[in-house]
Amino acid sequence: MIAFRVWPSYLRGPFLINSPQTAQIRFLENRTCVSLCNKTYSIDDHASMKRLEKLKKGMSKNYMHHWIVDNMPVTWCHSTSELSGQTCSMGFPMGCYTFRNSVPRGICGVYSAYSKPETFYLFNHVDLTISYHKSEKESWGSSFIEEGGRIISVKVQPRSIAHKKRLNCDSGETMALSSGEMKEQFTVQYTYSVVFVRNDQIRWSSRWDYILESMPQANIHWFSILNSVVIVLLLTGMVGMILVRTLHRDIARYNERVSGEDAQEEYGWKLVHGDVFRTPGNSLLLSVFVGSGVQIFS
């Protein structure tokens, strides 16, 4: 079900969709390696093979999942070589693809387990860590029950796990898909784990700070702002100088003492006033055509 439909959303694509398979998450209830759903891909089913190709295309183009829990975006935090510490992004990849003779990109470059060339790694398991602020010393916590609180962050760690007959989220075997044609039927089992962590150090009003501080694109680009301001000032000065020189020359010519014959001649922008108040030819016919056109188009 699409939550909203407006034209900017059609152009950018941020549709909120309720998934038919939803995870059963309850406050302060930890869950480990819970099965969500199974998806089978068969070589005899053309529709399923088409969906598999679409899935591989999404992984090769680094498509992302964007989840929302209690109006908070689910963030994926990982370490990078460019920044010290961790960087957190809203959303997490649906998988990754390792190209031949190239450095692994995306999450394939973060974890060494996803490094086999020409292989798709589908992330069919997520570890959710939900941090909450206890309401004991807050004014807004008086209306909560004993086990109440407010969610301040939801972090996810996606993993690729090849489940066998029994669920085993600690398995080191990955759900790897070859880039070639599939030769036999296989089933993907999606699972999740949820852990609640109490954190009273972060106030609920500051729950977005860790996202903004870790995102490099959130920094203010002072050089770009200064460059834009300088260009605007230069263009404004050029246009102003042209207008001042033109008007100054015209005003100087109008103030000159000229003969009566020359005074009747008008030039420059003073010629406009004659065209504004001049009655057009066949004004009655023009008004009829204009009125008929307005009625037709209205």
Side-chain angles (χ1 to χ4, degrees), residues 224-240:
S224 300
I225 296 176
L226 182 61
N227 187 26
S228 302
V229 171
V230 171
I231 292 176
V232 170
L233 292 178
L234 289 177
L235 293 178
T236 304
M238 292 175 59
V239 174

Side-chain angles (χ1 to χ4, degrees), residues 23-38:
Q24 300 297 325
I25 300 177
R26 295 183 178 180
F27 191 64
L28 298 182
E29 183 178 326
N30 297 336
R31 310 194 72 181
T32 304
C33 201
V34 181
S35 177
L36 183 62
C37 65
N38 298 332

